[in-house]
Amino acid sequence: MNLTIVGAGYVGLVTGACFAQLGHNVICVDNDSDKIKALKKLKIPIYEPGLDDLVKKNFREGRISFTTDIAGAVKKSLVIFIAIGTPPKENGEADLTGIEKVAFTIARAMTDYRLIVEKSTVPVETGRWVKHTIEINKKKKVGFDVASNPEFLREGRAIRDFMHPDRIVLGVESKKAEGILRELYGRIDASVLVTDIRSAELIKHASNSFLALKISYINAVAKVCELSGADIEQVAEGMGMDKRVGRAFLDAGIGFGGFCLPKDLDAFITISQKLGYDFGLLKEVKKTNEFQKDDFIRKIESSLWNIKDKTIAVLGLAFKPDTDDMRFAPSIDIIQVLQRHGAVIRAYDPKAMHKAKKIFKGVKFCRDAYEAASSSDCLIILTEWQEFKELDFKKMKRLLKQPLIFDGRNIFAPEVLKGLGFKYVCIGKGAGIKE
Ligand code: UDX
């Protein structure tokens, strides 16, 4: 089938490349001409495992192309996915001006029946507005449908999540729209939930907010573990053995970041407020997530005495491993607060350095973990990159001014580092400080 994806970002590019891989003809549209120029030269603007090869392969086989011309793409495609960013406004609400502009442009360009599909994470009721915008701007005789097909892609494993989803959600208003989407996803072996547009939109926000809730819950339990001398990893293990709870997303740490969970949580709180419900539970989730970062800094302070003029080595800047994405990364707040306290920061991340350099001021960016550690007063881990788990701690000990590690993602076994003579501080284990 011929389809257009509007928005060549994390979601749009992965979705387009995967649909092309399934055999469809995909046009990726973006209003950023530099990005499109780079894509035409097969320079992929984001790091996502496997995406580079997937785009190149399908580009060579002529199933994916790039353009800034939405109107031209609409004329050639039966299905148009809207996959542009819905960044949060000051009040936490999703900014939908881009969505409205795209809907307007699609409406003006349509000459035959088109299925317009919301792929971006949008507040409930957006489908109704997209439909209204197209209705009043299209040519009289042209038919169309609107649908919601939310994505559940995790950065760092987005292609796998697309090709092997737990479920495909189709929010539709007609059998025709359902048929087209079923055919589009025909080669993917996954359960399909067909529902109405509002429910499909809400499934996305409710799912992401639940994941955020699960993370904040385990982080709050981790605090109780620290105060009671219990071990959060044992507690998470025991909880996860109950199928109704499930072990996934019970990893205590410095909290969640990324462009999805924080934004979707805010949006869901705001939507609920606008609909007349004060979602206090989700406000607590947000508060707990902020607490995790503050509490981590308190731990650093309580072991360093004064932070001022101390040199702190930071390993990991991306909001999670296997991505270069810095959006809402916990490292941003943590580093900026440490700098406000007068700390000198030496930082290293395997993939996110180029993006981090646009965010941080006065940070010394290092070539590797060892350069970051050299002559630093302590080492802090903010992202659980695999390569940090394989560090040579004997060498680390020689490089650090003192053998002091703050592990924000519990990637090390306390007894191993203690055995090497480190003072090891992590999340949710005993008194929080391992002498
Ligand atoms: C999330 C959802 O998982 C995905 O379904 C949705 O489509 C987009 O948002 P993503 O933001 O890419 O995906 O990353 P995810 O793996 O969910 O992690 C989000 C944040 O939660 C990261 O900062 C991660 O470090 C943190 N996290 C995750 C925890 O702190 N503990 C956990 O147990 C799991």
Side-chain angles (χ1 to χ4, degrees), residues 59 145 170 324 392 409:
F59 185 82
D145 273 309
L170 305 179
D324 62 351
D392 172 350
R409 294 290 181 190

Side-chain angles (χ1 to χ4, degrees), residues 115-116 133 136 144 167 191 258 263 290 292 314 331 340 373 386 410 433:
L115 173 57
I116 295 93
T133 307
I136 61 173
F144 74 102
R167 78 293 203 195
S191 14
K263 169 176 71 70
E290 290 312 306
Q292 284 309 102
V314 178
S331 63
R340 274 207 294 280
Q386 183 54 34
N410 285 0
I433 293 186

Side-chain angles (χ1 to χ4, degrees), residues 61-267:
E61 290 165 12
R63 278 194 302 275
I64 192 166
S65 62
F66 305 100
T67 177
T68 54
D69 168 22
I70 299 191
V74 167
K75 286 187 175 43
K76 295 178 202 150
S77 311
L78 171 62
V79 191
I80 298 107
F81 281 88
I82 301 179
I84 63 170
T86 52
K89 291 194 288 201
E90 274 310 301
N91 66 358
E93 236 178 303
D95 179 353
L96 301 175
T97 40
I99 302 267
E100 180 174 3
K101 280 202 189 84
V102 167
F104 173 83
T105 312
I106 291 169
R108 280 275 192 263
M110 286 173 8
T111 49
D112 294 302
Y113 172 87
R114 291 291 179 263
L115 173 57
I116 295 93
V117 187
E118 290 170 348
K119 178 54 86 173
S120 305
T121 303
V122 291
V124 64
E125 295 292 298
T126 302
R128 185 170 67 80
W129 283 112
V130 168
K131 194 171 163 185
H132 171 74
T133 307
I134 293 175
E135 198 61 65
I136 61 173
N137 289 294
K138 70 178 180 68
K139 294 174 187 62
K140 289 291 155 274
K141 66 183 182 339
V142 173
F144 74 102
D145 273 309
V146 172
S148 165
N149 171 223
E151 52 82 17
F152 302 102
L153 308 179
R154 270 168 292 181
E155 290 184 44
R157 46 175 304 154
I159 292 169
R160 211 179 332 168
D161 284 349
F162 186 99
M163 294 299 193
H164 307 285
D166 287 346
R167 78 293 203 195
I168 295 169
V169 172
L170 305 179
V172 291
E173 288 184 332
S174 74
K175 278 289 170 210
K176 181 173 186 174
E178 179 186 341
I180 292 170
L181 289 173
R182 279 187 182 279
E183 188 185 339
L184 208 50
Y185 282 101
R187 292 209 185 133
I188 291 188
D189 174 19
S191 14
V192 178
L193 173 71
V194 180
T195 180
D196 62 278
I197 292 180
R198 282 186 175 84
S199 304
E201 290 167 335
L202 214 46
I203 286 169
K204 176 68 183 172
H205 273 109
S207 301
N208 267 7
S209 298
F210 180 77
L211 292 170
L213 177 144
K214 204 172 174 185
I215 294 166
S216 279
Y217 180 76
I218 202 65
N219 283 334
V221 171
K223 198 64 216 161
V224 176
C225 286
E226 280 174 14
L227 299 169
S228 65
D231 179 327
I232 190 58
E233 284 183 346
Q234 300 300 306
V235 170
E237 202 61 38
M239 289 171 65
M241 291 162 90
D242 179 330
K243 285 191 185 55
R244 296 167 303 171
V245 175
R247 177 62 185 77
F249 279 65
L250 286 181
D251 298 327
I254 48 174
F256 55 83
F259 194 56
C260 294
L261 296 196
K263 169 176 71 70
D264 291 359
L265 185 63
D266 276 348

